[in-house]
Amino acid sequence: MRKLTRTILFFGLLLMNLSLNAQMLERADKHFESFAYQEAIDLYEMLWEKDSLNENVTRQLAASYRLINNSQKAEFWYAKVLEMPNVENDDYLFYARALQSNQKYAKANEWMEKYRQKESGSKQDLIDEDVINKLKSDSLKYKVKPVSANSEESDFGVAYYRNDVIFSSAREKMSVIKRNHKWNNQNYLRLYQTHVGEDGNLLNATLFSKDITTKFHDGPVCFTKSGEEMFLTRNYVSDSKKAKRNKEGVVSIKLYHCKKEGDGWSTPELLSFNLEAFSTGHPALSDNEKSLYFISDRPGGFGGTDLYVSKKTASGWSEPVNLGDKINTSENEMFPFVDETNNLFFASKGHVGLGGLDVFSIDLDDEKAKPVNMGYPINSSKDDFNLIHKKGSGYFASNRIKGESFDDVYHFALMRRTIKGQVFNSETKEILGNTEVSLIDKNGNVAERVVTDKDANFQFVISKIDNYQIRSTKEYYFDGDVAIPASELRKNGELNKIVYQAPDNILSLKGLVVFKEDRSPVADVNVSIKNSKSDDSINLTSDTNGTFSCELLRGMDYTIEYHKEGILSKTRRVETSMIKGSEIFVEEEVDKVQVGKVFVLDNIFYDVNKSNIREDAAIELDKLVVVMTENPNLKIELSSHTDSRGSDPYNMALSSRRAKEAVEYIVSKGISPDRMKAKGYGETKLINKCSNGVKCSKEEHQANRRTEVKILAM
């Protein structure tokens, strides 16, 4: 009988315990579904102590800690979830995110890879340690410091209001009735106004306005530049000031608008593009106040909350447009801000970052631009968001110190600016790689000098805000200059500049003609400069100093001819492709035409044992034709000479034939035969050592095979 009584008592207690556990689980789940995560955690942990193999309780604990941003506890509990039989795909993702937030990047990447393998088609990026290290590499770029106006509770949602700053805070307020937000057990958000002190510090936070205060969350907000209009995020309340919940029991946020009325504000009115069952908030105006950016979880997005824009119209605001998948991801994007250069700053968990929410920027005027992570120390492994700035300094919010939902406002100042750019050919728009680029300070001194890479990119990092100039220098190009005013550097942490250099296609030719005998200047020489590629000609005359000048094009071949009665005409070839600098100097020595004077006609060579005129010889004989044409009374002896190879009689006969061939060629060009005498000298007037029996090179023998002109009469 006693044994039966004990058995009945045991099963009774067991059933009572099971009933109590079931009741506790029901209460915990109710708290979870009501977003009262901290209260749910207390009950789930008691249940887990009793049944550590309960998968549902373990996963609910992990999710609760994740949703209150406790990454340490989230990591602990998701590790236990992943040891259980029924692992869900999202468990891998949430565990990887917790590890990333705790700066365990290598392990986080392993679990993210497992998630991507499980979840086909996932757009989640891997957690690349090289990218992480790059984002953390420039820790001195910004100076970051928490502001004095922070409280023990959450402070965030900063916005510029005239010369002050407005932010949302969950700080304790003097009230008989305490109202807490069950999600994190903090007070509902109120708007506070604070003054900007020395070095951007925020001081003396006071309640902003009682006119717009509700019993629920107020903020974030933004204002027009005049401070006369406000766009306000707040929980959706009915006309009776009671919270309006959707089908899931969630009190959504809505976007309101109100105007300044004396010392207060008008009653906030819902903007037309709010959707009944979905959240809309976090307003940000463009610099021209014609575009309103905000977040929403409305249908048609990419997941979580997306960024949208509405344009101002004559009747209000246009239908919102999603900013697209270049900015929005399957995760949350929030807290937009647009600066005066139309750069959009926003927070996201979906783009590659250090962990949690990271701040990104993108140039809205550049269709090819992509979001750029602001890097450390703006971003950390925790939640960093709500960045606003003016002239190189500003504010953002982060839970990097307190963790969970305890955010603080930080002031940041840009300590270093980056000037980036490319150099282009102004005519062809081709990039100019390997170009020297100098950063010149206001005193004209070169502060830094770099050489562009193969893609013509350059970069300077500066710590002092001042007026600068960028100058690019490249051979065969005019210098390119771009001014960098201090005002631009104050507004921007990074400037992108394009430098154009015009090709230096014009060369300045300066020439001088002198007599070979005494180097005295030769005046009135007709100088003809012919472009061999275009056949264009420039005709000049040397002045009393024997000088002449003109402009030539780079990259051309020119032939310069010198003609004048009483001188031996000359020809010179000038190639301008490889000329360094922008000037060319040519000097030509010319011979006077005098009775008894002997000239060697350059390049009048003959093949061995041949007397026919080669093509190269014809060019030189044509020059003699010009001289005789310019000097109609000129009479000459044209003599031919051989080398010592062959017999003396043979060479004498050969030279006579060569002289005769040359004279006949000149006669064929219209010169009277009476003005010329052909004479062959054979090997009787060698100009080097190569006489009979002396071993010589081909070049030495060819030098003896020459044609000379002797002036007989004028």
Side-chain angles (χ1 to χ4, degrees):
M1 185 67 182
R2 289 180 179 177
K3 186 176 180 180
L4 178 61
T5 301
R6 286 197 300 269
T7 301
I8 293 172
L9 182 61
F10 170 78
F11 280 105
L13 290 172
L14 178 62
L15 290 172
M16 183 181 296
N17 188 53
L18 290 174
S19 176
L20 289 172
N21 287 349
Q23 292 177 28
M24 187 181 296
L25 179 60
E26 184 179 354
R27 284 165 52 208
D29 288 342
K30 188 174 181 180
H31 285 312
F32 185 90
E33 292 168 3
S34 300
F35 313 108
Y37 299 117
Q38 191 59 59
E39 294 179 19
I41 286 171
D42 294 338
L43 295 175
Y44 284 136
E45 286 184 340
M46 292 172 62
L47 288 166
W48 191 86
E49 289 294 331
K50 296 178 180 181
D51 182 9
S52 61
L53 298 179
N54 190 313
E55 290 189 26
N56 178 58
V57 169
T58 307
R59 181 172 283 106
Q60 290 294 83
L61 266 172
S64 297
Y65 278 115
R66 171 175 59 84
L67 291 167
I68 65 170
N69 285 330
N70 189 325
S71 61
Q72 298 289 342
K73 290 292 183 71
E75 177 191 338
F76 175 83
W77 287 107
Y78 274 113
K80 291 191 175 298
V81 170
L82 291 167
E83 293 173 354
M84 294 181 172
N86 301 310
V87 177
E88 299 175 1
N89 289 354
D90 280 348
D91 296 332
Y92 294 95
L93 173 63
F94 296 145
Y95 185 50
R97 289 297 188 206
L99 289 165
Q100 183 183 18
S101 187
N102 296 331
Q103 301 188 57
K104 299 177 181 179
Y105 296 117
K107 192 174 181 181
N109 192 51
E110 292 176 14
W111 287 96
M112 185 63 77
E113 179 61 43
K114 291 179 181 179
Y115 169 74
R116 284 159 56 96
Q117 291 172 0
K118 296 282 184 180
E119 193 74 18
S120 60
S122 169
K123 294 184 179 181
Q124 290 288 341
D125 293 305
L126 290 174
I127 301 166
D128 190 330
E129 281 195 273
D130 290 336
V131 174
I132 298 295
N133 291 332
K134 185 176 180 181
L135 293 175
K136 297 169 71 174
S137 63
D138 195 2
S139 61
L140 299 178
K141 185 175 182 180
Y142 300 96
K143 181 180 179 181
V144 172
K145 186 178 180 181
V147 301
S148 299
N150 286 318
S151 67
E152 293 299 317
E153 307 299 323
S154 246
D155 302 289
F156 66 96
V158 284
Y160 291 115
Y161 174 60
R162 296 176 174 169
N163 296 322
D164 291 342
V165 169
I166 307 299
F167 66 95
S168 297
S169 178
R171 64 191 59 205
E172 285 285 345
K173 58 185 184 298
M174 298 302 295
S175 176
V176 176
I177 301 175
K178 301 293 184 182
R179 293 179 54 81
N180 288 355
H181 181 39
K182 296 299 184 181
W183 187 305
N184 54 18
N185 272 339
Q186 294 189 48
N187 295 308
Y188 282 98
L189 297 171
R190 299 287 180 269
L191 292 174
Y192 287 82
Q193 182 172 357
T194 182
H195 302 301
V196 179
E198 188 177 354
D199 296 329
N201 192 18
L202 298 183
L203 308 166
N204 306 323
T206 57
L207 193 64
F208 175 53
S209 175
K210 293 182 179 180
D211 297 336
I212 56 173
T213 300
T214 66
K215 296 178 181 180
F216 302 97
H217 288 309
D218 297 319
V221 299
C222 76
F223 300 87
T224 56
K225 292 178 182 177
S226 66
E228 294 296 316
E229 295 181 57
M230 173 170 55
F231 295 86
L232 166 66
T233 308
R234 59 179 3 177
N235 281 132
Y236 191 25
V237 295
S238 65
D239 293 338
S240 60
K241 295 189 177 180
K242 291 184 179 181
K244 297 185 71 172
R245 300 180 184 273
N246 60 19
K247 293 179 180 179
E248 288 76 31
V250 177
V251 181
S252 60
I253 58 172
K254 301 296 179 186
L255 204 50
Y256 295 78
H257 173 257
C258 57
K259 295 183 178 181
K260 198 86 169 72
E261 290 185 349
D263 294 331
W265 292 88
S266 65
T267 301
E269 296 181 357
L270 276 169
L271 289 171
S272 60
F273 52 70
N274 285 286
L275 289 185
E276 179 71 22
F278 302 94
S279 286
T280 302
H282 297 192
L285 280 170
S286 62
D287 187 62
N288 63 11
E289 301 183 348
K290 293 181 179 180
S291 298
L292 180 63
Y293 295 84
F294 59 89
I295 70 165
S296 181
D297 62 355
R298 63 189 58 203
F302 296 92
T305 55
D306 281 3
L307 296 181
Y308 290 80
V309 63
S310 175
K311 303 292 184 179
K312 193 169 187 178
T313 65
S315 58
W317 294 93
S318 69
E319 188 66 21
V321 175
N322 189 293
L323 293 189
D325 60 359
K326 184 164 66 172
I327 291 174
N328 293 312
T329 68
S330 60
E331 301 274 0
N332 288 330
E333 279 70 46
M334 50 184 63
F335 293 99
F337 172 77
V338 182
D339 68 13
E340 58 188 3
T341 60
N342 215 29
N343 284 311
L344 170 68
F345 294 81
F346 64 97
S348 173
K349 283 188 177 181
H351 295 283
V352 177
L354 294 174
L357 286 168
D358 272 17
V359 179
F360 295 83
S361 69
I362 186 170
D363 185 352
L364 293 174
D365 293 329
D366 184 355
E367 293 182 356
K368 297 181 179 180
K370 296 180 180 180
V372 176
N373 190 297
M374 294 289 288
Y376 183 81
I378 296 294
N379 290 319
S380 68
S381 62
K382 303 299 182 183
D383 284 339
D384 309 286
F385 56 99
N386 183 210
L387 183 144
I388 64 174
H389 81 95
K390 288 180 181 179
K391 299 180 179 179
S393 67
Y395 304 91
F396 68 95
S398 176
N399 67 345
R400 62 184 63 185
I401 293 179
K402 298 175 185 175
E404 295 189 9
S405 300
F406 294 90
D407 306 303
D408 282 328
V409 175
Y410 290 78
H411 175 261
F412 74 91
L414 185 61
M415 305 305 290
R416 291 204 294 260
R417 270 77 171 170
T418 301
I419 303 172
K420 294 181 177 181
Q422 277 184 296
V423 184
F424 290 88
N425 182 318
S426 64
E427 293 184 1
T428 66
K429 301 304 184 286
E430 294 175 319
I431 59 173
L432 296 181
N434 198 34
T435 300
E436 184 180 273
V437 182
S438 299
L439 181 68
I440 302 170
D441 65 21
K442 65 180 180 181
N443 298 318
N445 300 316
V446 175
E448 189 177 352
R449 185 179 284 117
V450 298
V451 175
T452 62
D453 61 18
K454 62 182 179 62
D455 296 319
N457 296 303
F458 64 87
Q459 176 176 309
F460 298 105
V461 178
I462 61 172
S463 57
K464 182 181 179 182
I465 297 178
D466 211 335
N467 294 316
Y468 292 93
Q469 185 175 22
I470 293 174
R471 176 168 297 157
S472 59
T473 304
K474 189 175 182 66
E475 199 169 45
Y476 311 137
Y477 288 85
F478 293 108
D479 291 350
D481 288 286
V482 173
I484 309 290
S487 57
E488 279 194 59
L489 291 171
R490 289 191 185 96
K491 296 175 186 176
N492 301 280
E494 182 174 296
L495 293 178
N496 284 281
K497 294 293 181 180
I498 300 298
V499 184
Y500 290 104
Q501 287 190 247
D504 185 4
N505 292 327
I506 306 300
L507 295 172
S508 176
L509 172 68
K510 295 182 179 180
L512 174 65
V513 187
V514 296
F515 283 118
K516 188 175 183 179
E517 292 83 356
D518 57 9
R519 294 195 54 77
S520 60
V522 185
D524 300 322
V525 177
N526 295 317
V527 182
S528 176
I529 304 173
K530 188 174 184 180
N531 187 328
S532 60
K533 292 185 178 180
S534 66
D535 287 335
D536 292 334
S537 294
I538 302 172
N539 296 307
L540 307 168
T541 302
S542 64
D543 60 20
T544 55
N545 296 315
T547 63
F548 60 91
S549 63
C550 67
E551 290 183 343
L552 302 182
L553 296 176
R554 195 182 295 277
M556 299 292 174
D557 291 328
Y558 291 93
T559 300
I560 305 178
E561 296 180 356
Y562 302 86
H563 304 288
K564 181 184 178 182
E565 185 177 354
I567 69 168
L568 190 63
S569 297
K570 298 288 289 288
T571 302
R572 171 191 291 268
R573 181 173 172 269
V574 175
E575 199 276 324
T576 61
S577 295
M578 304 304 293
I579 300 297
K580 294 183 181 296
S582 59
E583 293 186 353
I584 306 176
F585 178 74
V586 293
E587 180 183 296
E588 195 65 56
E589 293 181 335
V590 295
D591 292 296
K592 294 179 181 179
V593 179
Q594 296 175 323
V595 175
K597 196 161 188 176
V598 177
F599 307 98
V600 176
L601 293 182
D602 295 330
N603 302 318
I604 302 293
F605 298 123
Y606 299 90
D607 295 325
V608 178
N609 298 324
K610 299 288 180 68
S611 62
N612 60 292
I613 303 299
R614 301 192 323 194
E615 288 186 9
D616 54 354
I619 294 173
E620 299 304 316
L621 289 174
D622 286 339
K623 296 176 184 178
L624 181 57
V625 171
V626 173
V627 173
M628 297 195 73
T629 301
E630 293 173 346
N631 297 272
N633 296 320
L634 180 66
K635 293 184 178 182
I636 63 170
E637 176 191 271
L638 194 151
S639 60
S640 180
H641 303 263
T642 68
D643 58 35
S644 62
R645 292 175 293 181
S647 65
D648 292 353
Y650 176 81
N651 284 337
M652 184 63 72
L654 177 62
S655 64
S656 296
R657 291 199 305 273
R658 286 175 173 173
K660 183 179 178 182
E661 287 278 354
V663 167
E664 289 177 353
Y665 178 85
I666 295 172
V667 169
S668 72
K669 297 297 182 178
I671 302 301
S672 170
D674 295 337
R675 297 172 59 193
M676 292 177 289
K677 177 181 177 183
K679 177 67 176 177
Y681 287 97
E683 57 183 278
T684 60
K685 293 187 176 183
L686 300 175
I687 61 173
N688 56 31
K689 63 179 182 179
C690 301
S691 57
N692 292 335
V694 178
K695 188 175 182 180
C696 292
S697 65
K698 290 182 180 180
E699 290 76 17
E700 288 174 315
H701 282 303
Q702 179 146 307
N704 284 318
R705 299 195 301 273
R706 67 195 187 280
T707 299
E708 293 180 342
V709 175
K710 182 178 181 180
I711 307 300
L712 300 178
M714 291 187 66

